[in-house]
Amino acid sequence: MIKRLEKIADSVTQSASKNSATSRLQGFWDIFDRDDEVLILISADPDAIASAMAVKRLLSYRVQSVAIGYPNEIRRLNNITMVERLKIPLERMHTLPVKDYSKYILVDSQPNHQPCFEKIEFDAVIDHHPVTKGWDAKFIDIRPEYGAVASMMVEYLRAANIKPSVALATALFYGIKVDTQNFQKKNMQAGDGISFRYLFNIANLNLVRKFELTELRRSELKYFRIALNEVKSRKERAYVHLGKVGTPDILVIIADFFNHVDKFDWVIVSGVYGEKLVVIFRCDGYRKNAGKLAQKTFGEYGPAGGHKEAARAEVPLKNLPLRENHEFTTNSLIRIITRHVK
Ligand SMILES: [Mn+2]
């Protein structure tokens, strides 16, 4: 009896959610005409890019044309790799005749998130950020309980009986992974899990792995040579000063690299970026506290702190206790740290 009631309850919720997916899709489709020239705008990150592709797919054969535009420069290599490998047609907003479209859709964002979006009257807004006020659209679907808009878009595609191509599925899969931080973020819910599971059979997981792994520019390989030459270990601690760096991100990559090595309980990597010394701390976070060590050793010179297992300091070079005309070196790094911890 109870089993049967559960089954009925299940089928009711299932068909209710199916109905709402279908009616959402219909509501969305209803605002478009055959001769529409549509512009989808996004702030380009993997979830937004994937979701825009899905919206474009939903509108194919239903409108005249669909373009995807984005205002920000895509800088993360993972995201550049995604766009290049999947050959996603994206265009910088300033290269598009923004005023000349007949319909505008905003995905994974809301009009007041960016000044360049605020000027546009959107016909549809599909998002998962907390709901903001002061704007309107003919079609609005905002579900803050979802970890990714890509999860919502899978529901639209399924309601439309559209099986995503490998490229689209791979993008959506990656979008969900990134936005839920591999399901480690609290913002995810069952809907994300169901969409993710559905995409799992279609997406190319090797490509996803390639997106995730690609974080180094070829020009940055030289920092590994410097790091391997420079690394000094003292009492299970690895110290490296890399000198001038083009971006502090490389310090994080080098620190994570040394964190792969056994018997290094601590990894401390520094580099000079602009007028600042940036120091990255890594440890296993077990009976150790990287945040506290960063604070204790560099706190007097500038902002320093973080979590148990990962921390950073960013201090103006002029605040450091360096003898005149002396450059900061790996030995200087060791000296500052060991002054405080033996
Ligand atoms: Mn998102």
Side-chain angles (χ1 to χ4, degrees), residues 52-61 157 162-165 168:
M53 284 172 81
V55 171
K56 185 173 171 155
R57 179 68 188 85
L58 283 174
L59 292 178
S60 56
Y61 308 111
L157 291 167
I162 295 172
K163 187 184 171 198
S165 65
L168 177 54

Side-chain angles (χ1 to χ4, degrees), residues 88-256:
I88 303 171
L90 289 183
E91 277 156 282
R92 281 301 283 277
M93 207 171 148
H94 64 80
T95 66
L96 293 168
V98 174
K99 288 198 176 77
D100 298 347
Y101 294 87
S102 61
K103 293 276 158 61
Y104 299 87
I105 310 174
L106 186 58
V107 177
D108 196 19
S109 190
Q110 288 170 43
N112 47 14
H113 284 178
Q114 287 208 38
C116 61
F117 295 158
E118 230 165 2
K119 291 182 209 130
I120 296 166
E121 256 189 57
F122 285 98
D123 297 277
V125 176
I126 304 176
D127 188 27
H128 69 137
H129 293 92
V131 182
T132 59
K133 285 186 193 138
W135 56 273
D136 198 13
K138 271 177 241 149
F139 179 85
I140 300 172
D141 178 9
I142 298 177
R143 286 179 262 170
E145 69 275 18
Y146 272 66
V149 175
S151 308
M152 295 162 59
M153 292 322 302
V154 170
E155 294 176 8
Y156 279 88
L157 291 167
R158 296 182 76 177
N161 278 322
I162 295 172
K163 187 184 171 198
S165 65
V166 173
L168 177 54
T170 303
L172 290 165
F173 188 88
Y174 185 53
I176 299 174
K177 261 188 128 212
V178 170
D179 261 30
T180 62
Q181 288 171 353
N182 286 317
F183 290 94
Q184 287 180 40
K185 242 175 142 181
K186 288 196 193 86
N187 67 349
M188 58 140 315
Q189 62 129 11
D192 293 298
I194 294 168
S195 292
F196 191 75
R197 183 66 193 86
Y198 170 79
L199 296 168
F200 190 86
N201 295 338
I202 313 169
N204 183 319
L205 305 189
N206 296 320
L207 263 181
V208 171
R209 182 152 169 77
K210 183 63 189 167
F211 305 160
E212 288 173 334
L213 286 176
T214 310
E215 53 182 10
L216 265 178
R217 289 179 169 78
R218 252 190 246 183
S219 61
E220 291 169 338
L221 284 176
K222 63 169 185 257
Y223 292 112
F224 280 85
R225 183 178 302 128
I226 300 172
L228 292 170
N229 287 337
E230 272 297 313
V231 64
K232 295 195 166 122
S233 66
R234 301 273 188 285
K235 292 188 179 171
E236 268 63 74
R237 289 195 286 261
Y239 296 93
V240 184
H241 177 69
L242 287 181
K244 278 205 172 74
V245 293
T247 155
D249 297 348
I250 192 68
L251 301 172
V252 173
I253 291 168
I254 297 285
D256 288 336

